[in-house]
Amino acid sequence: MIAEIKKLAEAAASEVKLAADVRALDELRVAYLGKKGALTQLLKGLGSLDAESRPQAGQAANDAKSVIE
């Protein structure tokens, strides 16, 4: 899961750099962080991880969210 989150953050960062205007940035924000966004969907799976993996995955998710925001 951590690898998926990092891959998603890298993809989002690339898309942000290519965004043409504020509207495009807002659409990216919704696509990744919105209620049905890609990162949001990944975060729903955190509860199914074992107790040892959960903190690392949570930190990776927080880092990805910071990159996207």
Side-chain angles (χ1 to χ4, degrees):
M1 175 173 265
I2 295 171
E4 292 176 55
I5 293 171
K6 289 182 179 182
K7 187 176 178 180
L8 186 73
E10 290 171 7
S14 296
E15 289 184 48
V16 166
K17 289 179 183 177
L18 297 174
D21 55 17
V22 175
R23 182 176 179 185
L25 287 173
D26 190 50
E27 289 173 3
L28 286 172
R29 180 188 59 78
V30 171
Y32 285 100
L33 301 175
K35 192 172 186 177
K36 295 184 180 183
L39 184 60
T40 305
Q41 295 304 314
L42 279 176
L43 292 177
K44 288 182 181 179
L46 280 179
S48 65
L49 295 176
D50 59 42
E52 294 176 7
S53 300
R54 203 173 301 139
Q56 292 91 2
Q59 184 61 48
N62 287 337
D63 294 343
K65 187 174 179 181
S66 295
V67 167
I68 296 169
E69 287 178 338

